[in-house]
Amino acid sequence: ARYRQVIWMVGDARSGSSWVADMLASTCGYRQMFEPFHPIEVAKFSGYALNHFQRPGSENDALQSKLDDVFNGRVRNLRVNQAADRFFCSGLLVKDVFASLIAAWAQERFPHVQLVVQMRNPLAVAVSKARKSRSRWTSGPAELLEQRALVEAHLKPHVAFLRHIEARDDLLLKHIAVWAIIHSSLFHDLDARKV
């Protein structure tokens, strides 16, 4: 059934979003879905890039259908539903650190979904990611530069600088660059929607 209230928490990995989502879900009596947009762990989103970008105003019926399943709680995956410990819920909280670059696009199609952006200091995020090096997330700007639509929309003036960062043997700098790309692209697209 359609949830009366849907909260969608996005941001970068290692930003404290799991802790905040757990607290919100338990306090508000929400069903929680954990990272349904993970293209490696969730078959429904296989084939998409980690931190897939979708330009606001563009068409993508397949992605819209998949998001409709997410926001109606119709994703069957043990990892996604690991915190779904309530039979009766007053709402749905979707927490995902791989969905920030589709959030502005999705807000056009799902205006009833309340978007929350969880942010943490980029250096703290980078240090935390470096300490958990076995986890799978976007490891540097080169992965994001493979997405032509993202480059055209946001990164074109910065490609040479981002390739310079990627060429350096500095994991912290690469994670900070990813943080900057995710947040600047997201906020630019959200601001553009207000015009």
Side-chain angles (χ1 to χ4, degrees):
R2 181 176 292 277
Y3 288 90
R4 285 173 293 157
Q5 189 162 22
V6 181
I7 296 175
W8 187 21
M9 181 180 291
V10 300
D12 196 6
R14 310 305 298 164
S15 293
S17 56
S18 293
W19 179 78
V20 172
D22 287 346
M23 183 178 63
L24 282 174
S26 64
T27 302
C28 300
Y30 282 18
R31 174 188 170 195
Q32 185 182 163
M33 294 176 73
F34 179 80
E35 299 178 354
F37 305 97
H38 196 303
I40 298 167
E41 300 289 343
V42 182
K44 181 180 281 293
F45 290 93
S46 65
Y48 289 90
L50 286 168
N51 292 303
H52 174 79
F53 175 72
Q54 190 69 42
R55 184 192 292 264
S58 65
E59 295 298 321
N60 190 330
D61 293 340
L63 181 57
Q64 184 169 337
S65 175
K66 292 172 191 299
L67 289 174
D68 187 62
D69 285 344
V70 169
F71 297 138
N72 283 293
R74 295 190 298 255
V75 176
R76 288 176 173 78
N77 178 288
L78 290 176
R79 183 175 183 272
V80 170
N81 293 302
Q82 63 183 299
D85 55 358
R86 289 178 177 76
F87 189 74
F88 296 105
C89 306
S90 59
L92 177 68
L93 190 151
V94 180
K95 176 268 189 198
D96 208 301
V97 297
F98 301 101
S100 296
L101 295 179
I102 63 171
W105 176 85
Q107 284 284 277
E108 297 171 341
R109 286 143 182 83
F110 302 94
H112 70 285
V113 174
Q114 296 178 355
L115 183 66
V116 175
V117 180
Q118 172 73 20
M119 290 182 70
R120 182 182 182 195
N121 178 295
L123 182 57
V125 168
V127 168
S128 183
K129 283 182 175 181
R131 288 181 178 157
K132 289 188 65 87
S133 60
R134 281 184 254 148
S135 295
R136 181 62 178 114
W137 42 63
T138 303
S139 59
E143 287 183 51
L144 296 172
L145 288 171
E146 293 174 4
Q147 297 189 55
R148 182 175 294 169
L150 178 59
V151 172
E152 288 298 318
H154 298 294
L155 305 182
K156 200 170 194 174
H158 314 289
V159 168
F161 177 65
L162 293 170
R163 291 202 188 286
H164 173 72
I165 288 173
E166 187 68 40
R168 294 183 59 173
D169 189 24
D170 189 333
L171 187 58
L172 292 181
L173 191 58
K174 290 177 185 180
H175 286 314
I176 290 170
V178 169
W179 184 98
I181 291 167
I182 287 171
H183 290 92
S184 66
S185 301
L186 169 62
F187 288 124
H188 178 273
D189 287 345
L190 289 175
D191 285 345
R193 289 186 65 239
K194 296 176 186 175
V195 175

